[in-house]
Structure formats: structure tokens, C-alpha cells
Amino acid sequence: MSSIRIVRPRRFVLASAALALAAADMPAAQAQQSREPLPPIEVSPAQSRERASKPAGREGQSARRASSRRSASIAAPKPAMPGDGAQTQAATPLNSNAVAESASRLGLTVRQTPATVEVISAETMREQGYRTVSEVAQGAVGVTSGDAPGEPAGFSMRGFTNSQINTLYNGIKIGPQNMTSRIMDTANLEAVEFLKGPASLMSGEGAAGGAINFVTKQPHTGPIRNEADFSWDSLNSFRAHYGSGGSTNVQGLDYRFDISRSSLNGFVDDTNTKMLDVSGQLNYRVSDSLKVWGAIEYREDRGKAYWGAPLVPVAFSGSHATNGIVSGNYVSNYNGTNLGAVTIDDRTFKTNYNVLDNRNVGQEVWLRGGFELKLAPDLTLKSQAYGYGAERSWFNNEIEAFNATTNRVDRERFYVAHSQRLVGNVTDLIWDANIAGFDNRMVTTLSSSYLDFVRPGAANFPGDSVSLVDPNLGFYGLLTTQQQTARIDNEALSFEDRLKLTRNFALVGGLRVEHIGLDRNSTDVNGLVKAGFPYSKDWAPVTGRIGYTWEAVPGLTFYSQYATGADVAANNIFLLRPTDQLDLTTARTYETGVKHLFWDNRAEWSFSAYDILRKNVYAAAGGQTLNIAGRQESRGVELAASIRPIDPLRLWGNIAYVDARYADFNFVGGSFSGNTPPNVPRVVANAGASYRFFTPWPVELGITGRHVGDRYNTDANTVTMKAYTVADVYAFVDIPKTVFAAVDQARLTFRVRNITDKRYAIWGDPFYPDQILLGAPRTYELSAAFKW
């Protein structure tokens, strides 16, 4: 058996001044008189999500939709569309009344959680025109994203990227982002949650930089409500969605059903992604103390991928060289030729270098079910069992490297497929208690899962060279395959607790003890086992979090936390080789901040400062080579604010600054110490404004802007993807019910994306450093939404 590496928090930090204030605030005898416990756990499909922010609405609306009406980046209360009803009651400008279950199992709102948490709601996705989860991330504070075809829906947050950030589906992790994520439409989602900083307490191995949780739409108790959405844009993309939910004629039985279909065309020739998502859930209240539920979801995406524009020598492009997209001097990682100063040739903006028979396909099925049982007034048991299956395949030309000797583009093919199966269970025991006169809530969680992963892949890599302009794309060619497998057992026991020492001061902490067992095998084209395989490895990380929240005055909350995380040093647990460093890397964060809601809920701002250290890191040295980076350091601040000075006007903005760099990153032939990790900008800022005209047919005009600073595409930091600023504008009109008697709400929207037609680099894949992904040019979109 391999050695076990224990990852333990070394010390816990609290603000001593805040503790002193809390201790002086009230002796224990008085604390019992003024304690303000969390609302009790309710066993119902609606109230259970709403309990931490406000009493359940008359119709028991889903707390997520009720409290998540505004996103943390866009958020600002404004007059609702007709038919929204009670959903506006819990809205705050930065959506701090939302309950993010990926951030805590205690039922805490964003304001009650001692961490930076952001929840972007379904309504905000619709109003801001976020079509995919990558676009949602671009509206969040300090988050950037890209859809590199080999790792679609990749994110950068607080100096960490891709598989250093756990991606969750209804709180469940399916594997490293750079292996399992797909482009996902937002139509079937109720919310997207962002938990920033090391977060292994909640989601286990892999959360060095945080976690992003995708939450599907949930049933509600009350009258049936239907919705339909349609859109079309100037690239001939279209989206359509229908959803329905509410109470059935069977007493206690509620449902939700959604189906969406989209075809998103790229601005590059012959690129598109077609998606289908069907999801449904039933909640059945057997009694006041027992609810059972079941959910199913099928997702499919089929696309022809865009792998980027090649870096080209300025000297070769001449008058076709562009400014403001990339800069730097580069030696090709693929063919070794010296390109000198590089640019993006304007003749390649729409050129697709992929082969004609390329394909990129993913099919996923989710089955989930469970129950909530009230064992006693202060004791609740929740359990969820799940099964997940996925089939994925890539069949593409993936490398596009300009050759300075031949002045042509060298290409190389790659094929890989995934067959993944995952089964597991998560069980929570929630206990509300009184400890020495202080209110306390504890959640004990036991989780286990078994994952089987089979990966047939290419054993040969056909290649050729084509002209930079008007290339002869050809076909994939001969393919031979080999196979890799990974089997992962995971068991975890965690504890999370909130102790209220006074009415306004609470300690929040938790501990997770985890076991991870990995069995790997790899065979060649003849089915013979490769050297060093099969092998097994076990890890036992111990991670946690401790912090406090202190509401100094009503609406003004200070917080601090110390948290730890663990993830695989070589970046991908599915692909670890016997020669890779098989230890876990450790991460810790110190964070402090303030969250302030004031002016009768018309204004809200938040601020956070953090210091993250990750040790024992494997990183890409460019292309497929991995090197050891001893440490990765990240320090930064984030500020977000939103205000509604008058009813028609909304103003919002946020800015994030991060200083992320490697330390002790030395290897044979060089050093990357002091360099910045790929796709990490120092500054990301968003801002927006909208004005609503309260006419018989209400009209709203809005503008949003986004600035992203310079980034590098590899750890070598030789090529800079230049800073860019883009803006979108929109206008929508709400059509009164008197026009369509059968429709409670109808909205028509016209949107212009990238109104200045800015050309910019949006993302770089460090494993394909010879090419850069470009952002989309100006596009126009028409959409219509109906509710009844």
C-alpha cells in the first residue's frame, strides 16, 4: 500500500478584536434571553430552501428563486415582470439572502456565511442574456472563463484555473473539470453558485481555488406555472425552452419539468454546438415529517469545434498583423521554430483549421432521489442517492502551429472517448441544540461514491501542414487506439457547526475526513499492459474551515475565515501515471471581509481580502510537459456594489484584483518562479446600468461593460493575451396581460453583444500554446419570453 499523506490545517485564525467584542457583548446568562436561532428545518419542497432568509411565501415558492432574484454581480431590486409575485420579496441588490447549499449545509444565507459566496439566479441569466455557464461566469465578480474544446466550460478564479476549481452539479462532483465538463445551456438552471477560495470541506478533493455549483430548476408548491423562451441571433443561432411546475391534483405531489434545445453557431466557419437538455423532478410530502423526491436529467451536446487561431510572426503577416490581441516573442512548442514577435493574422479570424469529419459529442444521464425525515423537532435526516453516466468523444485536429521554416500551419490529430459511471450517496443529520445557553446547529454528513472511468484514446497522431489562408482541411485519416482506466472510491465524513455566542456573533466551522482510493491501468494498441501499470494509490486528506460572522449593526456584517483544501498535484486524478508525483497538494486561505445591506434594501456592497497558498504543485511547462512548481501564491481583493437610487434606475459594479504567482518553480533548463499562472488577469471589472420607463408598455434600457486585464497563455509567460474591454446593450418591452389574455407575462428583448466589435483573446489552452481562442465579434439577438 502506498504511503498516506495527511493534509491538516496548521492553525486557525480569528479576529481577536471581534472575539473580544463578542465576549463583551453579553454574558452567557443574557445570551439565552436574546438568542436568535436559525429558523427550524422544514420538511417541504419549498420552505426547506427558504428557511434561512425569510418565512415561506403563501405559495411556498422555491427559496432559490425567491431569494436569488438578483445575482451577486448584476443584482439590484427593480420592478418585477408581471407574474413574478412573491419572488421579489427576498431580493437584495447583491442577492445576499440567497441560500447557497454548495457553500454550507447549515442553511445559511450568503450574508451568514463567513466566505465569499455569489449566487446568480435564473432571472438574472435571462435578463443579462447568459446563454451558457461560461457566460454566467463572466458576469461574476473576478471570474473569467473560456470554452477551449478540450476543456470546455473552464474557469479562472482567485488565481486558480480549470481542475483547481471543483465544478458541481446539484452539489455533486463528477470529476476534474478539464476531463468532465461540457458546454451547458442555462435554460434548465435555477442558479449558479460561486464559492471562492479552498473549499474541500464542502466538495472534497480538487477545490483549491473554490467551487462552482450548477443547480437545476426545482418544484414549488402552488398553482402550476409555465414558461417559454425563444431567441435568434445574427449568427443564425437559436434557443428554445419550455418549463412547467407546481402542485398536481395528488395531495402533496409537486413537479418541475424543463426541456431546452439550442444551436449556437460560432463566428468561425463551420463551427457550432447543438444542445438538448431534459430535466424533471417530483417532490412528494408523505406527511408533515417526511418528504420523498426523485429527479432525472438527460443532456446532450454535439458540435464542430473551434480550436483557436495560430500565433503567426509579425514579419510574415505584414499588413495583416493585428494590434491589441496578443504580444510577445515565441518559439513554437510544437515544431521548435522561432516565430519572433507574434500576432494574430486578420485573415485567420474566421478560419477553421479542423478536419472536415471532426466531431465533439457528449451525452449525460442523471438519476437522483432521496428523502427528508423529521426525526424529532430538533433532528432532521436527509439522504440522497445518485447515479450518473456519460459518454464523450473528441475526433479532431487539435494542434495548429505555424512553422517559421515552411510558412505553413502544422497540424496534428487527436481522438479520445470517455465512458464514465458514477454512483453514490450523501446523508446529512441536522441537529439543532442549545449548548450552555447558546444556540447551535450541527450537520454531520456521510458520503460515499464509486467511479468507473474508461478512456479509449489515440495511439497515433496523424498530421500534415496546410496554408495559413484558405487551408485544405482534409480528413482525420488513420486511427489506432489504446485504452486507459481509472476506478476511484471515495468516502468522507464531515462535520459543520454554527454556534451563536450572542445575537450578532456566530462561530462557523467544519472538518472533513476523506479517503480516496485510486486504481489505474493503461494498455497499448495490442492490449498489453504498459510498464508501471496497473497500480493503486490511497490518500486521506483532512481539511476544514473555521470562521466567524459579526453583525456589528443591523445589515453590516464582518467576517473572517481560515480554510484548507487538497487536490491532486499532477492536475488530473483520472490520468495519473506511475511516474507522476502521486501526493496531494495542499491549499490554505486567510480571508476577511464585510457585507453591508442598507438604505431599506436599496443598496448593498461587499468587500473581501484574501491570501491563498498552494504547495506541492504540478503545472504545465507549455504543451504536454508537466513540471513541479513548489508553491502557488495568490493574494487579492474583491469589491462589489449595487444601488437603486430611484425606482427606475439601477447601477452596479464590481472589481477584483489578484496577484497570483509561482514560487520555487525551478526545473532543468529554467525557472518560472515569479511567473503568473495561465489565464489569470490581475484585474477584472464589471459595471452596468439600466433605466426602466413605467409606461403602459414598460420599457427598460440597459448597458453592461466588462474589462479583463492582460493574461498569459502558458506558465512561461512569453505570450501575452492583451487586456480588453467589451460592452453589451439591450432593450426590452413588457407586453401587458391585456394584450395576450392567456399569458400573464410577455417580454420582447433586443440585445447587441460586443457593440464596438472588439477583437480580443478570450482564453488560451496551456496544453496547446501555439494557438489562441478569440472572443466573438458583434452580434445581434432577438428574444421572447412568456409566462402563464
Coordinates of all heavy atoms in Angstrom, one line a residue, residues 372-443:
E372 N -36.4 13.5 3.0 CA -36.1 14.3 4.2 C -37.1 13.9 5.3 O -38.3 13.8 5.1 CB -36.3 15.8 3.9 CG -35.4 16.3 2.8 CD -35.7 17.8 2.4 OE1 -36.3 18.4 3.2 OE2 -35.2 18.2 1.4
L373 N -36.5 13.5 6.4 CA -37.3 13.0 7.5 C -37.1 13.7 8.8 O -35.9 13.8 9.3 CB -37.0 11.5 7.7 CG -37.7 10.8 8.9 CD1 -39.2 10.7 8.7 CD2 -37.1 9.4 9.1
K374 N -38.1 14.2 9.4 CA -38.1 14.9 10.7 C -38.1 13.9 11.8 O -39.2 13.3 12.1 CB -39.2 15.9 10.8 CG -39.1 16.9 11.9 CD -38.2 18.1 11.4 CE -38.6 19.3 12.2 NZ -37.7 20.5 11.7
L375 N -37.0 13.5 12.4 CA -37.0 12.5 13.4 C -37.5 13.0 14.7 O -38.1 12.3 15.5 CB -35.5 12.0 13.6 CG -34.9 11.3 12.4 CD1 -33.4 11.1 12.6 CD2 -35.6 10.1 12.0
A376 N -37.3 14.3 15.0 CA -37.7 15.0 16.2 C -37.7 16.5 15.9 O -37.2 16.9 14.8 CB -36.8 14.7 17.4
P377 N -38.4 17.3 16.8 CA -38.4 18.7 16.5 C -37.1 19.4 16.2 O -37.0 20.3 15.4 CB -39.1 19.3 17.7 CG -39.9 18.2 18.3 CD -39.1 17.0 18.0
D378 N -36.0 18.8 16.8 CA -34.7 19.4 16.6 C -33.7 18.5 15.8 O -32.5 18.7 15.8 CB -34.1 19.8 17.9 CG -33.9 18.6 18.8 OD1 -34.4 17.5 18.4 OD2 -33.4 18.7 20.0
L379 N -34.2 17.5 15.1 CA -33.4 16.5 14.5 C -34.0 16.1 13.1 O -35.1 15.6 13.0 CB -33.2 15.2 15.3 CG -32.1 14.3 15.0 CD1 -30.7 15.0 15.2 CD2 -32.2 13.1 15.9
T380 N -33.2 16.3 12.0 CA -33.7 16.0 10.7 C -32.7 15.2 10.0 O -31.5 15.5 10.0 CB -33.9 17.4 9.9 OG1 -34.9 18.2 10.6 CG2 -34.4 17.1 8.5
L381 N -33.1 14.2 9.2 CA -32.3 13.3 8.4 C -32.6 13.5 7.0 O -33.8 13.5 6.6 CB -32.5 11.9 8.8 CG -31.7 10.8 8.1 CD1 -30.2 10.9 8.5 CD2 -32.2 9.4 8.4
K382 N -31.5 13.8 6.2 CA -31.7 13.9 4.7 C -30.7 12.9 4.1 O -29.6 12.7 4.5 CB -31.3 15.3 4.3 CG -32.2 16.4 4.8 CD -31.8 17.8 4.2 CE -32.7 18.9 4.7 NZ -32.4 20.2 4.1
S383 N -31.2 12.3 3.0 CA -30.4 11.4 2.3 C -30.6 11.5 0.8 O -31.8 11.7 0.3 CB -30.6 10.0 2.7 OG -29.7 9.1 2.1
Q384 N -29.6 11.4 0.0 CA -29.7 11.5 -1.5 C -28.8 10.4 -2.1 O -27.6 10.3 -1.8 CB -29.3 12.9 -2.0 CG -29.2 12.9 -3.5 CD -28.7 14.2 -4.1 OE1 -28.9 14.5 -5.3 NE2 -28.1 15.0 -3.3
A385 N -29.4 9.6 -2.9 CA -28.6 8.6 -3.7 C -28.6 9.1 -5.2 O -29.6 9.7 -5.7 CB -29.3 7.2 -3.6
Y386 N -27.6 8.8 -5.9 CA -27.5 9.3 -7.2 C -26.7 8.3 -8.1 O -25.9 7.5 -7.7 CB -26.8 10.7 -7.3 CG -25.4 10.7 -6.7 CD1 -24.3 10.4 -7.5 CD2 -25.2 11.1 -5.4 CE1 -23.0 10.5 -6.9 CE2 -23.9 11.2 -4.8 CZ -22.8 10.9 -5.6 OH -21.6 10.9 -5.1
G387 N -27.0 8.4 -9.4 CA -26.3 7.7 -10.4 C -26.1 8.6 -11.6 O -26.9 9.4 -12.0
Y388 N -24.9 8.5 -12.2 CA -24.5 9.3 -13.3 C -23.8 8.5 -14.4 O -23.0 7.7 -14.0 CB -23.6 10.5 -12.8 CG -23.0 11.3 -13.9 CD1 -23.7 12.3 -14.6 CD2 -21.7 11.1 -14.3 CE1 -23.1 13.1 -15.6 CE2 -21.0 11.9 -15.2 CZ -21.8 12.8 -15.9 OH -21.2 13.6 -16.9
G389 N -24.1 8.8 -15.6 CA -23.5 8.1 -16.7 C -23.2 9.1 -17.8 O -24.0 10.0 -18.1
A390 N -22.0 9.0 -18.4 CA -21.6 9.9 -19.5 C -20.8 9.1 -20.6 O -20.0 8.2 -20.3 CB -20.8 11.0 -19.0
E391 N -21.1 9.5 -21.8 CA -20.3 9.1 -23.0 C -19.9 10.3 -23.7 O -20.7 11.2 -24.1 CB -21.2 8.2 -23.9 CG -21.7 7.0 -23.3 CD -20.7 5.9 -22.9 OE1 -19.6 5.9 -23.7 OE2 -20.9 5.1 -22.0
R392 N -18.5 10.5 -23.9 CA -18.0 11.7 -24.5 C -17.0 11.2 -25.6 O -16.3 10.2 -25.4 CB -17.3 12.6 -23.5 CG -18.1 12.8 -22.2 CD -17.3 13.8 -21.3 NE -17.9 13.8 -20.0 CZ -17.6 13.1 -18.9 NH1 -16.6 12.2 -19.0 NH2 -18.2 13.2 -17.8
S393 N -16.9 12.0 -26.6 CA -15.8 11.7 -27.6 C -15.4 13.0 -28.3 O -16.1 13.9 -28.5 CB -16.3 10.7 -28.7 OG -17.3 11.2 -29.5
W394 N -14.1 13.0 -28.6 CA -13.4 14.1 -29.4 C -12.7 13.4 -30.6 O -12.0 12.5 -30.4 CB -12.4 14.8 -28.6 CG -12.9 15.6 -27.4 CD1 -13.1 17.0 -27.4 CD2 -13.3 15.2 -26.1 NE1 -13.5 17.4 -26.2 CE2 -13.7 16.4 -25.4 CE3 -13.3 14.0 -25.5 CZ2 -14.1 16.3 -24.1 CZ3 -13.8 13.9 -24.2 CH2 -14.1 15.0 -23.5
F395 N -13.0 14.0 -31.8 CA -12.4 13.4 -33.0 C -12.0 14.6 -33.9 O -12.8 15.1 -34.6 CB -13.4 12.5 -33.7 CG -12.8 11.8 -34.9 CD1 -12.1 10.6 -34.8 CD2 -13.1 12.2 -36.2 CE1 -11.7 9.9 -35.9 CE2 -12.6 11.6 -37.3 CZ -11.9 10.4 -37.1
N396 N -10.8 15.2 -33.7 CA -10.5 16.5 -34.2 C -9.0 16.6 -34.6 O -8.2 15.8 -34.2 CB -10.7 17.6 -33.1 CG -12.1 17.7 -32.7 OD1 -12.9 18.4 -33.3 ND2 -12.4 17.0 -31.6
N397 N -8.8 17.6 -35.4 CA -7.4 18.1 -35.5 C -7.3 19.2 -34.4 O -8.0 20.2 -34.4 CB -7.1 18.8 -36.8 CG -5.7 19.2 -37.0 OD1 -4.8 18.5 -37.4 ND2 -5.4 20.4 -36.5
E398 N -6.3 19.0 -33.5 CA -6.3 19.9 -32.3 C -5.1 20.8 -32.2 O -5.2 21.9 -31.6 CB -6.3 19.0 -31.0 CG -7.6 18.1 -30.9 CD -7.8 17.5 -29.6 OE1 -6.9 17.7 -28.7 OE2 -8.8 16.8 -29.4
I399 N -4.0 20.5 -32.9 CA -2.9 21.4 -32.9 C -2.8 22.2 -34.2 O -3.0 21.6 -35.3 CB -1.6 20.6 -32.7 CG1 -1.5 20.1 -31.3 CG2 -0.3 21.5 -33.0 CD1 -0.3 19.2 -31.0
E400 N -2.6 23.5 -34.1 CA -2.4 24.4 -35.2 C -1.2 25.3 -34.9 O -1.3 26.3 -34.3 CB -3.7 25.3 -35.4 CG -5.0 24.5 -35.6 CD -6.2 25.3 -35.1 OE1 -6.1 26.5 -34.8 OE2 -7.3 24.7 -35.1
A401 N -0.1 24.9 -35.4 CA 1.2 25.5 -35.1 C 1.9 26.1 -36.3 O 2.2 25.3 -37.2 CB 2.1 24.6 -34.3
F402 N 2.1 27.4 -36.4 CA 2.7 28.0 -37.5 C 4.2 27.6 -37.5 O 4.9 27.6 -36.5 CB 2.6 29.5 -37.5 CG 3.1 30.2 -38.7 CD1 2.2 30.4 -39.8 CD2 4.4 30.6 -38.9 CE1 2.6 31.0 -41.0 CE2 4.8 31.2 -40.0 CZ 4.0 31.4 -41.1
N403 N 4.7 27.2 -38.7 CA 6.1 26.8 -38.9 C 6.8 27.9 -39.6 O 6.6 28.2 -40.7 CB 6.1 25.5 -39.7 CG 7.5 24.9 -39.7 OD1 8.5 25.6 -39.9 ND2 7.6 23.6 -39.4
A404 N 7.8 28.5 -38.9 CA 8.5 29.7 -39.4 C 9.5 29.3 -40.5 O 9.9 30.1 -41.3 CB 9.3 30.4 -38.3
T405 N 9.8 28.0 -40.7 CA 10.6 27.5 -41.7 C 9.9 27.3 -43.0 O 10.3 27.7 -44.1 CB 11.3 26.2 -41.3 OG1 12.1 26.4 -40.1 CG2 12.2 25.7 -42.4
T406 N 8.7 26.7 -42.9 CA 7.9 26.5 -44.2 C 6.8 27.5 -44.4 O 6.2 27.5 -45.5 CB 7.2 25.1 -44.0 OG1 6.2 25.2 -42.9 CG2 8.2 24.0 -43.8
N407 N 6.6 28.4 -43.4 CA 5.5 29.4 -43.5 C 4.1 28.7 -43.7 O 3.2 29.3 -44.4 CB 5.7 30.4 -44.6 CG 6.9 31.3 -44.2 OD1 7.2 31.6 -43.1 ND2 7.6 31.9 -45.3
R408 N 3.9 27.6 -43.2 CA 2.7 26.8 -43.2 C 2.3 26.5 -41.8 O 3.0 26.7 -40.8 CB 2.8 25.6 -44.0 CG 3.0 25.9 -45.5 CD 3.3 24.6 -46.3 NE 2.2 23.7 -46.4 CZ 1.1 23.7 -47.2 NH1 1.1 24.7 -48.1 NH2 0.2 22.8 -47.2
V409 N 1.0 26.0 -41.6 CA 0.5 25.6 -40.3 C 0.6 24.1 -40.2 O 0.0 23.4 -40.9 CB -1.0 26.1 -40.2 CG1 -1.5 25.6 -38.9 CG2 -1.0 27.6 -40.3
D410 N 1.4 23.7 -39.2 CA 1.5 22.3 -38.9 C 0.3 21.8 -38.1 O -0.1 22.5 -37.1 CB 2.8 22.0 -38.1 CG 4.0 22.2 -38.9 OD1 3.9 22.2 -40.2 OD2 5.1 22.4 -38.3
R411 N -0.3 20.7 -38.4 CA -1.5 20.2 -37.7 C -1.2 18.8 -37.2 O -0.4 18.1 -37.7 CB -2.7 20.2 -38.7 CG -3.0 21.5 -39.3 CD -4.4 21.5 -40.0 NE -4.6 20.4 -40.9 CZ -5.7 20.0 -41.5 NH1 -6.8 20.6 -41.1 NH2 -5.8 19.0 -42.3
E412 N -2.0 18.5 -36.1 CA -1.9 17.1 -35.6 C -3.3 16.7 -35.0 O -4.0 17.5 -34.4 CB -0.9 17.0 -34.5 CG -0.7 15.6 -33.9 CD 0.4 15.6 -32.9 OE1 1.6 15.5 -33.3 OE2 0.1 15.6 -31.7
R413 N -3.7 15.5 -35.3 CA -5.0 14.9 -34.9 C -4.9 14.3 -33.5 O -3.9 13.9 -33.0 CB -5.5 13.9 -35.9 CG -5.1 14.1 -37.3 CD -6.0 15.1 -38.0 NE -5.9 15.0 -39.4 CZ -5.2 15.8 -40.2 NH1 -4.5 16.8 -39.7 NH2 -5.1 15.6 -41.5
F414 N -6.1 14.2 -32.9 CA -6.2 13.5 -31.6 C -7.7 13.0 -31.5 O -8.6 13.7 -31.8 CB -5.9 14.5 -30.4 CG -5.9 13.8 -29.1 CD1 -4.9 12.8 -28.8 CD2 -6.9 14.0 -28.2 CE1 -4.9 12.2 -27.6 CE2 -6.9 13.4 -26.9 CZ -5.9 12.4 -26.7
Y415 N -7.7 11.8 -31.0 CA -9.0 11.2 -30.7 C -9.0 10.7 -29.2 O -8.0 10.1 -28.8 CB -9.3 10.0 -31.6 CG -10.4 9.1 -31.1 CD1 -11.7 9.4 -31.2 CD2 -10.1 7.9 -30.4 CE1 -12.7 8.5 -30.7 CE2 -11.0 7.0 -29.9 CZ -12.4 7.4 -30.1 OH -13.4 6.6 -29.6
V416 N -10.1 10.9 -28.5 CA -10.3 10.3 -27.2 C -11.8 10.1 -26.9 O -12.6 10.9 -27.5 CB -9.6 11.1 -26.1 CG1 -10.4 12.5 -25.9 CG2 -9.5 10.4 -24.8
A417 N -12.1 9.1 -26.2 CA -13.5 8.9 -25.8 C -13.6 8.6 -24.3 O -12.6 8.2 -23.7 CB -14.1 7.8 -26.5
H418 N -14.7 8.9 -23.6 CA -14.9 8.6 -22.2 C -16.1 7.7 -22.1 O -17.2 8.0 -22.7 CB -15.1 9.9 -21.4 CG -14.0 10.8 -21.4 ND1 -14.1 12.1 -20.9 CD2 -12.7 10.7 -21.8 CE1 -13.0 12.7 -21.0 NE2 -12.1 11.9 -21.6
S419 N -16.1 6.8 -21.2 CA -17.2 6.1 -20.7 C -17.2 6.1 -19.2 O -16.3 5.5 -18.6 CB -17.3 4.6 -21.2 OG -18.4 3.9 -20.8
Q420 N -18.1 6.9 -18.6 CA -18.0 7.1 -17.2 C -19.2 6.7 -16.5 O -20.3 7.0 -16.9 CB -17.7 8.6 -16.9 CG -17.6 9.0 -15.5 CD -17.3 10.5 -15.2 OE1 -17.1 11.2 -16.2 NE2 -17.3 10.9 -14.0
R421 N -19.1 6.1 -15.3 CA -20.2 5.7 -14.5 C -19.9 6.1 -13.0 O -18.8 5.8 -12.5 CB -20.4 4.2 -14.5 CG -20.7 3.6 -15.9 CD -22.1 4.2 -16.5 NE -22.4 3.6 -17.8 CZ -22.0 4.2 -18.9 NH1 -21.4 5.4 -18.9 NH2 -22.3 3.7 -20.1
L422 N -20.9 6.7 -12.4 CA -20.7 7.1 -11.0 C -21.9 6.8 -10.2 O -23.0 7.2 -10.7 CB -20.4 8.7 -11.0 CG -20.3 9.4 -9.6 CD1 -19.1 8.9 -8.9 CD2 -20.4 10.9 -9.8
V423 N -21.8 6.2 -9.0 CA -22.9 6.0 -8.1 C -22.5 6.5 -6.7 O -21.3 6.4 -6.4 CB -23.4 4.6 -8.1 CG1 -24.0 4.1 -9.4 CG2 -22.2 3.6 -7.7
G424 N -23.4 7.0 -6.0 CA -23.0 7.5 -4.6 C -24.2 7.8 -3.8 O -25.4 7.8 -4.2
N425 N -23.9 8.3 -2.6 CA -24.9 8.6 -1.6 C -24.3 9.7 -0.7 O -23.2 9.7 -0.3 CB -25.3 7.4 -0.7 CG -26.3 7.8 0.3 OD1 -26.0 8.2 1.5 ND2 -27.6 7.8 0.0
V426 N -25.2 10.7 -0.3 CA -24.9 11.7 0.6 C -26.0 11.8 1.7 O -27.2 11.9 1.3 CB -24.7 13.1 0.0 CG1 -24.4 14.2 1.0 CG2 -23.7 13.1 -1.1
T427 N -25.6 11.6 2.9 CA -26.6 11.6 4.0 C -26.2 12.7 5.1 O -25.1 12.7 5.5 CB -26.7 10.2 4.7 OG1 -27.2 9.3 3.7 CG2 -27.7 10.2 5.8
D428 N -27.2 13.5 5.4 CA -27.0 14.6 6.4 C -27.9 14.3 7.6 O -29.1 14.0 7.5 CB -27.3 16.0 5.8 CG -26.5 16.3 4.6 OD1 -25.3 16.0 4.6 OD2 -27.0 17.0 3.7
L429 N -27.3 14.5 8.8 CA -28.1 14.6 10.0 C -27.9 16.0 10.6 O -26.8 16.4 10.9 CB -27.5 13.5 11.0 CG -28.3 13.4 12.3 CD1 -29.8 12.9 12.1 CD2 -27.6 12.5 13.3
I430 N -29.0 16.7 10.7 CA -29.0 18.1 11.2 C -29.6 18.2 12.6 O -30.8 17.7 12.8 CB -29.9 18.9 10.2 CG1 -29.4 18.7 8.7 CG2 -29.8 20.4 10.6 CD1 -30.3 19.2 7.7
W431 N -28.9 18.7 13.4 CA -29.2 18.8 14.9 C -29.2 20.2 15.4 O -28.2 20.9 15.3 CB -28.3 17.9 15.7 CG -28.6 17.9 17.2 CD1 -29.8 17.8 17.8 CD2 -27.6 17.9 18.2 NE1 -29.6 17.8 19.1 CE2 -28.3 17.9 19.4 CE3 -26.2 17.9 18.2 CZ2 -27.6 17.9 20.7 CZ3 -25.5 17.9 19.5 CH2 -26.3 17.9 20.7
D432 N -30.4 20.7 15.8 CA -30.5 22.0 16.4 C -30.5 21.8 17.9 O -31.3 21.0 18.5 CB -31.8 22.7 16.0 CG -31.7 23.2 14.6 OD1 -30.7 23.8 14.2 OD2 -32.7 23.0 13.9
A433 N -29.6 22.5 18.6 CA -29.4 22.2 20.0 C -29.1 23.5 20.8 O -28.9 24.6 20.2 CB -28.2 21.2 20.3
N434 N -29.2 23.4 22.1 CA -28.8 24.5 23.0 C -27.6 24.1 23.8 O -27.7 23.1 24.6 CB -30.0 24.9 23.9 CG -29.6 26.1 24.7 OD1 -29.0 26.0 25.7 ND2 -30.2 27.3 24.3
I435 N -26.5 24.7 23.7 CA -25.2 24.3 24.4 C -24.9 25.5 25.3 O -24.5 26.5 24.9 CB -24.1 24.1 23.4 CG1 -24.5 22.9 22.4 CG2 -22.8 23.7 24.1 CD1 -23.4 22.6 21.4
A436 N -25.1 25.2 26.6 CA -24.7 26.2 27.7 C -25.4 27.5 27.4 O -24.8 28.5 27.7 CB -23.2 26.3 27.8
G437 N -26.6 27.4 26.9 CA -27.4 28.7 26.7 C -27.2 29.3 25.4 O -27.7 30.4 25.1
F438 N -26.4 28.7 24.5 CA -26.1 29.2 23.2 C -26.7 28.3 22.1 O -26.7 27.1 22.2 CB -24.6 29.3 22.9 CG -23.8 30.1 23.9 CD1 -23.0 29.5 24.9 CD2 -24.0 31.5 23.9 CE1 -22.3 30.3 25.8 CE2 -23.3 32.3 24.8 CZ -22.5 31.7 25.8
D439 N -27.3 28.9 21.1 CA -28.0 28.2 20.1 C -26.9 27.6 19.2 O -25.9 28.3 18.8 CB -28.9 29.1 19.3 CG -30.2 29.3 20.0 OD1 -30.9 28.4 20.2 OD2 -30.4 30.5 20.4
N440 N -27.1 26.4 18.7 CA -26.1 25.7 17.9 C -26.8 24.8 16.9 O -27.9 24.2 17.2 CB -25.3 24.8 18.8 CG -24.1 24.2 18.1 OD1 -23.1 24.9 17.9 ND2 -24.2 22.9 17.7
R441 N -26.3 24.8 15.7 CA -26.8 23.8 14.7 C -25.6 23.1 14.2 O -24.5 23.7 13.8 CB -27.5 24.5 13.5 CG -27.8 23.6 12.4 CD -28.7 24.3 11.3 NE -30.0 24.5 11.8 CZ -31.0 25.1 11.1 NH1 -30.7 25.6 10.0 NH2 -32.2 25.3 11.6
M442 N -25.7 21.8 14.1 CA -24.6 20.9 13.6 C -25.2 20.0 12.5 O -26.3 19.5 12.6 CB -24.0 20.0 14.7 CG -23.0 19.0 14.2 SD -22.3 18.0 15.5 CE -21.0 19.1 16.1
V443 N -24.4 19.9 11.5 CA -24.7 18.9 10.4 C -23.6 17.9 10.3 O -22.4 18.3 10.1 CB -24.9 19.6 9.1 CG1 -25.2 18.6 8.0 CG2 -26.0 20.7 9.1

